[in-house]
Amino acid sequence: MSYIETISPEQAEGEVKEMYRRQEAHFGFLPNYARVFCHRPEVMKCWAALIAAIRRPMEAHRYELVTLAAARALGNSYCSLAHAKVLAELMGMEATQAMVAGETGPLSEAERKMMAFAAKVACRAQEVGAEDIEALRTHGFADEEIFDIVAVVAGRAFFTRILDGLGAEPDAAFGELPADLVEALSVGRPIASA
C-alpha cells in the first residue's frame, strides 16, 4: 500500500481519525492516499484548502482535464485514474475513453491545446515561453485562466510527488474501470490488489 508504516483506522485518534472519517464518508472507503498523510494530517488539510482555492474559479470539466493531463505527464497512475473517473461522470465513459485514447472528437481544439500546455508545465515548465501563453490566448484563454491552469498543475505536482515518493498505490476500486482505460492510465504504480 505504501513504503511507510501508516496508522490503521482502528488505531487512529484525533486529527488522523477525523481525516480518515472525512475521506471514508466522501468515497465510501478509506483511500490509500489518505493513509500516507497520517503522520501529518495538517498537511492534508492545508493541501485540501489550497486545491479548493485553486479550483474554485474553474469550471469542473476544465479542472478535470487539466488535472488528468498533469497527472499523466507526471507519471502518476493514482491521480490519472481518479480524475478520469470524475471526467467519465462529467462527459460520459465513452467520450472519456476516446479522449484518453487520443481521439480528438470529445475535445475542442482549445481543450487539446490546454491539456498539452498543462503537460508541458508539469514536466518542462522551464521550457514554457511567451509563445505558449500567446497560443492559449489565441484559443480564447484570458490571463487569469492561464494562471489557473498553471496553478492546478503545480498543486497536482505537489500531491503526486508525495504519493509516488511514499509508494501509495491506486485504490483497488479503480480496477472496476474499463480495462482499456486502466491500461492507458496506469502510467506509474499499478493498482493495489483487493
Side-chain angles (χ1 to χ4, degrees), residues 89-113:
E89 294 167 6
L90 293 173
M91 59 191 271
M93 184 57 77
E94 285 184 24
T96 301
Q97 288 173 282
M99 183 261 307
V100 168
E103 297 175 23
T104 58
L107 299 178
S108 68
E109 180 66 20
E111 288 171 328
R112 288 194 295 279
K113 292 288 185 188

Side-chain angles (χ1 to χ4, degrees), residues 27-157:
F27 293 103
F29 62 92
L30 181 61
N32 292 338
Y33 76 77
R35 294 172 190 260
V36 300
F37 281 91
C38 70
H39 300 291
R40 300 288 183 259
E42 67 277 10
V43 174
M44 169 67 94
K45 188 175 185 178
C46 289
W47 181 81
L50 175 64
I51 208 67
I54 288 170
R55 89 182 277 175
R56 192 169 294 118
M58 292 184 88
E59 183 264 328
H61 183 257
R62 179 178 289 181
Y63 172 80
E64 296 301 334
L65 289 173
V66 171
T67 301
L68 177 59
R72 287 181 87 181
L74 291 164
N76 183 268
S77 300
Y78 208 134
C79 293
S80 295
L81 291 161
H83 290 277
K85 184 176 179 188
V86 175
L87 269 172
E89 294 167 6
L90 293 173
M91 59 191 271
M93 184 57 77
E94 285 184 24
T96 301
Q97 288 173 282
M99 183 261 307
V100 168
E103 297 175 23
T104 58
L107 299 178
S108 68
E109 180 66 20
E111 288 171 328
R112 288 194 295 279
K113 292 288 185 188
M114 175 188 70
M115 290 180 77
F117 175 74
K120 184 174 185 177
V121 171
C123 297
R124 303 183 330 277
Q126 74 281 6
E127 295 176 16
V128 170
E131 67 280 2
D132 296 300
I133 303 304
E134 194 53 44
L136 289 175
R137 288 180 182 139
T138 300
H139 282 88
F141 291 94
D143 285 358
E144 62 269 20
E145 293 173 309
I146 297 168
F147 175 90
D148 293 341
I149 293 165
V150 173
V152 168
V153 174
R156 188 58 40 192

